[in-house]
Amino acid sequence: MNMRSHISFLRRGKIVDLVPTSTTQTVLDYLRLDEKSKGTKEGCNEGDCGACTVAIGRVKDGKLVYEPANACILLVGQLHGCELVPVDDLSQDGVLHPV
């Protein structure tokens, strides 16, 4: 299995390059433990309750499309080439994010 040594994704308008701490690191753990962002919560840790919902932006047919994702079951490696928008990022200087 070919494994990336690092991943890149967009967060708050900046490119984040990182080496995941493990192949099974979740986006929830990355946000809460590595970034110390506390807006995304752990509820059921099974992807059922929605407390950990984040928006993931991907380019589809030439357009940036946002979809909800459960951060507790989404692996950090799946963010490669995407934009990550957790609840902490929904407003900047009082202006709401398009999500």
Side-chain angles (χ1 to χ4, degrees):
M1 179 182 197
N2 188 7
M3 196 167 123
R4 282 190 192 103
S5 59
H6 77 279
I7 63 166
S8 298
F9 60 93
L10 193 63
R11 170 95 195 273
R12 296 181 178 149
K14 296 180 181 168
I15 295 174
V16 176
D17 284 312
L18 71 98
V19 176
T21 56
S22 81
T23 57
T24 59
Q25 182 183 19
T26 65
V27 173
L28 178 64
D29 285 343
Y30 167 74
L31 287 170
R32 294 187 62 82
L33 301 176
D34 295 356
E35 282 202 358
K36 307 297 186 220
S37 296
K38 301 299 181 186
T40 304
K41 307 293 185 200
E42 180 180 330
C44 67
N45 207 28
E46 294 178 351
D48 289 330
C49 75
C52 66
T53 301
V54 296
I56 304 296
R58 292 184 175 92
V59 176
K60 292 186 181 179
D61 298 324
K63 290 184 175 183
L64 185 58
V65 177
Y66 292 96
E67 296 177 335
N70 295 318
C72 69
I73 58 174
L74 182 70
L75 301 178
V76 171
Q78 293 175 277
L79 293 176
H80 188 71
C82 297
E83 179 181 10
L84 172 63
V85 185
V87 68
D88 308 81
D89 299 352
L90 288 181
S91 77
Q92 187 174 18
D93 300 326
V95 178
L96 290 178
H97 189 279
V99 173

